[in-house]
Amino acid sequence: MKTIDELLAEGVSGKRVFVRADLNVPLDGTTITDDGRIRAVVPTVKALADAGARVVVASHLGRPKGAPDPAFSLAPAAARLGELLGAEVAFATDTVGESATATVAGLADGRVAVIENLRFNAGETSKDDAERGAFADRLAALADVYVGDGFGAVHRKHASVFDLPARLPHAAGYLIATEVGVLKKLTDDVQRPYVVALGGAKVSDKLGVIDHLLEKADRILIGGGMAYTFLKAQGHEVGISLLQADQIPAVLDYLERAKERGVEFVLPVDVLVSSEFPDLKTKAPANPTTVAADAIPADEEGLDIGPETRKLYASKLADAGTVFWNGPMGVFEHPDYAEGTKAVAQALVDSPAFTVVGGGDSAAAVRILGFDEKAFGHISTGGGASLEYLEGKTLPGLAALED
């Protein structure tokens, strides 16, 4: 895989360099609520611009249905990228149409443009190779060189991620190089004990990674909505908590395999419950109660791990050599249910271990809850991509960058 440093050494001045970034940031209207993914691509974009390249940045945002949708415009991300670069960033109002063509043609050496949301074109995500390829051909006409730096999208077989690198000379940007290096440390060079903390809503989202980590980890901590399927599998009442009953056989199998392999599986011992889901917009007080994890009332749902579980999980993380954390412990967006996620984040900050926050909601939580990103070994920009890498899957966007 060619690195961006090798590309820069060859010279990029005057060349149109297409950077596939991940600017898929959360928006409240047109306000960016977490700019972590934009900041992550700045080193690559700045290095190319400083070397005289004409940089064309492209990304998806959200899930528009293959047509323009103002709610998913990349205009706010383009403006924020310009602020971070300290230079004006041009913005094309389409992907491969008149605006994109004119905007790229008007770039001077060392200048940057962002084209509109790639998913405004159905060819970006099409499962039809010909349709995807046709869109990739039109994107290729905008550039001389391709740099892949959108780690959060490398697990997708999309036109700008998989097909476009085959049409242009290509290299990996700084972010992808960093992400892959970190994930290799979690698979090939693990310092033990290796502790994994998994949260989030659904067990089904984590089945593959749990299956793989049973071969690697020494200890697995479970929180978030997925914990209630584990508790149900153990025969406990979970009330109206999030439950994937169809996953109980798989969960029982994992618990049995963990026992056979000597992998410590740690589940909540107490939880915060309520009969109503909290109002995440007004943040009105929710007034939850704490109950034992095996005594959830039939008409209430678990929404965060309880105080005893927070202490337990902190103790289970304290002696780790390596920690991988993916998924919040509760509904962290509401202050009454943020303490579990805070406790896990704080335990990582306090740990001397090599700590990796595995993207997605956990990465957003770290920033939203006010933690210093530098206190962690690495905060990934790609939750799904990180999980699939740890499952041992081939990621299309990485395979496409191989020479």
Side-chain angles (χ1 to χ4, degrees), residues 232 236-243 271 273-276 289 291-302:
K232 187 70 172 179
H236 303 312
E237 170 66 59
V238 296
I240 57 172
S241 303
L242 189 61
L243 174 66
V271 296
V273 299
S274 175
S275 59
E276 294 183 359
T289 55
V291 299
D294 60 358
I296 297 174
D299 62 346
E300 298 197 289
E301 65 178 317

Side-chain angles (χ1 to χ4, degrees), residues 26-389:
L27 293 172
D28 182 1
T30 58
T31 301
I32 297 168
T33 58
D34 177 12
D35 68 354
R37 286 176 169 168
I38 302 175
R39 285 186 283 113
V41 79
V42 166
T44 290
V45 173
K46 189 173 187 311
L48 289 165
D50 287 349
R54 303 176 183 188
V55 187
V56 182
V57 181
S59 175
H60 71 285
L61 191 152
R63 296 178 183 272
K65 305 197 181 295
D69 184 338
F72 297 105
S73 175
L74 278 174
R80 180 60 180 146
L81 178 62
E83 291 171 359
L84 292 167
L85 289 170
E88 183 182 352
V89 168
F91 181 66
T93 57
D94 57 27
T95 55
V96 289
E98 291 182 6
S99 179
T101 301
T103 300
V104 173
L107 279 178
D109 292 359
R111 302 312 294 263
V112 179
V114 173
I115 63 174
E116 186 55 284
N117 191 337
L118 292 164
R119 291 186 183 175
F120 284 1
N121 189 303
E124 170 66 2
T125 60
S126 176
K127 292 183 179 177
D128 181 84
D129 290 349
E131 184 180 12
R132 222 176 44 246
F135 183 50
D137 287 339
R138 296 184 71 187
L139 290 172
L142 298 174
D144 305 303
V145 181
Y146 177 93
V147 172
D149 213 31
F151 181 74
V154 294
H155 58 315
R156 307 293 188 193
K157 192 176 181 181
H158 290 171
S160 66
V161 176
F162 178 75
D163 302 273
L164 184 55
R167 290 158 166 76
L168 295 169
H170 49 265
Y174 290 124
L175 175 61
I176 278 186
T178 298
E179 295 272 13
V180 171
V182 166
L183 290 169
K184 282 183 176 177
K185 288 185 74 171
L186 293 179
T187 52
D188 303 333
D189 186 26
V190 178
Q191 299 298 309
R192 298 191 179 276
Y194 181 14
V195 184
V196 176
L198 296 175
K202 296 179 179 178
V203 174
S204 56
D205 292 342
K206 305 290 196 302
L207 287 177
V209 77
I210 293 173
D211 186 70
H212 195 72
L213 288 170
L214 282 172
E215 309 289 331
K216 302 270 187 184
D218 300 299
R219 193 178 297 147
I220 299 176
L221 317 181
I222 301 292
M226 62 185 288
Y228 303 102
T229 301
F230 280 87
L231 292 171
K232 187 70 172 179
Q234 292 186 324
H236 303 312
E237 170 66 59
V238 296
I240 57 172
S241 303
L242 189 61
L243 174 66
Q244 289 187 286
D246 61 324
Q247 302 298 333
I248 287 176
V251 164
L252 287 170
D253 176 62
Y254 290 151
L255 291 171
E256 184 59 33
R257 284 172 55 199
K259 188 176 179 182
E260 290 171 358
R261 295 180 178 278
V263 177
E264 187 180 2
F265 233 103
V266 190
L267 298 176
V269 295
D270 63 345
V271 296
L272 299 188
V273 299
S274 175
S275 59
E276 294 183 359
F277 196 83
D279 188 326
L280 301 183
K281 211 153 208 186
T282 66
K283 305 287 197 297
N287 302 316
T289 55
T290 302
V291 299
D294 60 358
I296 297 174
D299 62 346
E300 298 197 289
E301 65 178 317
L303 295 165
D304 194 14
I305 57 174
E308 293 305 314
T309 305
R310 290 174 223 150
K311 293 177 192 173
L312 173 65
Y313 285 13
S315 71
K316 297 295 183 181
L317 291 162
D319 67 343
T322 302
V323 179
F324 174 71
W325 170 34
N326 180 277
M329 296 290 108
V331 187
F332 74 92
E333 300 92 338
H334 192 285
D336 287 352
Y337 299 107
E339 293 304 317
T341 302
K342 270 187 192 174
V344 169
Q346 188 62 53
L348 266 65
V349 169
D350 295 339
S351 172
F354 176 61
T355 57
V356 178
V357 180
D361 285 341
S362 25
V366 162
R367 290 186 277 267
I368 289 168
L369 296 175
F371 287 91
D372 182 355
E373 294 179 51
K374 295 175 184 174
F376 302 87
H378 179 68
I379 298 178
S380 179
T381 57
S386 295
L387 291 176
E388 290 197 18
Y389 188 99

